[in-house]
Amino acid sequence: MIPDLCAPVDEVAPRLLGAVLRHGPVAVRLTELEAYEGATDPASHAYRGQTARNAVMFGPPGHLYLYFTYGMHWAGNISCGPEGVGSGVLMRAGEVIDGTELAQARRGQVRDRDLARGPGRLTQALGLHAEHKGCDLFGDGPVTLTPATEEAELIMVGPRVGVSVEADRPWRFWIGDSPFVSNYKRSPRAPRATSATPMALRWKPSGR
């Protein structure tokens, strides 16, 4: 069943944990995601409105938004929210579960744990490039997304990383017991601190 991608982006992101992104023989199980809203989120590419670069974020939900970053790699996002809103979920890390040999060839024979641990590593392992921007992830195109068969038992919530504004917004979500996630404050912390402190979340989507 295709998840409801028209919900608020911070609700969509944790629902996509465990989903499998596939391009050809390589498949990656998503273990870490970040939510980015549109007009109310200055860290989002959609904050200043629609452009040729970010148009996919404003289109139908469930499409692949790719952008080139740091002059060296692509980062991949899943568009979400109602059409015209401009929200997206950044795929920050994953676990290669199929096509490991090809992923290793693309990544330079690194440890399995590091094949897709990071936005640029994830897209490199999958062989994603500019021509895949805009792919319908739930269609018949070359890049597909299969929803998780079951929800993660423990979902961690913490601040976003790699952004200069709104970094403390607790919109990074990751599978708490997975080794295939970023090193940023992976350990659970007590929920007594600020919103920048990771905390555990037993995710129970409403109506599911």
Side-chain angles (χ1 to χ4, degrees):
M1 178 182 296
I2 297 176
D4 178 13
L5 300 183
C6 286
V9 66
D10 58 321
E11 295 180 12
V12 172
R15 291 175 184 170
L16 291 174
L17 286 170
V20 175
L21 189 71
R22 175 179 290 275
H23 175 222
V26 180
V28 171
R29 177 176 174 259
L30 300 178
T31 58
E32 184 178 359
L33 301 163
E34 282 183 346
Y36 287 90
E37 206 171 27
T40 65
D41 184 0
S44 172
H45 286 188
Y47 180 60
R48 300 187 183 280
Q50 184 172 341
T51 66
R53 182 194 189 203
N54 67 18
V56 175
M57 294 184 74
F58 290 85
H63 286 66
L64 181 64
Y65 168 51
L66 287 171
Y67 65 91
F68 202 58
T69 182
Y70 297 114
M72 67 178 85
H73 61 244
W74 294 93
N77 302 256
I78 301 166
S79 66
C80 61
E83 190 167 354
V85 170
S87 299
V89 175
L90 172 67
M91 296 178 286
R92 176 159 287 282
E95 174 189 3
V96 176
I97 60 173
D98 200 6
T100 302
E101 290 186 2
L102 179 54
Q104 286 176 335
R106 289 168 173 164
R107 290 276 299 112
Q109 300 298 317
V110 300
R111 296 181 303 171
D112 287 358
R113 177 188 174 193
D114 293 327
L115 286 174
R117 194 163 63 99
R121 294 173 177 180
L122 187 150
T123 55
Q124 186 179 13
L126 284 162
L128 299 179
H129 301 285
E131 62 267 26
H132 302 115
K133 183 175 181 179
C135 281
D136 181 354
L137 298 176
F138 296 101
D140 298 325
V143 188
T144 59
L145 184 70
T146 302
T149 55
E150 58 184 24
E151 65 187 54
E153 288 192 7
L154 180 63
I155 293 176
M156 300 297 294
V157 182
R160 299 183 295 192
V161 297
V163 294
S164 58
V165 292
E166 295 286 344
D168 287 348
R169 192 179 291 207
W171 278 10
R172 180 165 57 95
F173 305 89
W174 66 98
I175 297 175
D177 56 356
S178 174
F180 301 93
V181 299
S182 301
N183 285 326
Y184 301 101
K185 299 180 180 178
R186 288 180 48 215
S187 300
R189 302 253 184 116
R192 56 179 171 78
T194 67
S195 61
T197 299
M199 61 182 67
L201 170 68
R202 293 282 179 178
W203 182 250
K204 296 296 182 182
S206 59
R208 292 178 182 270

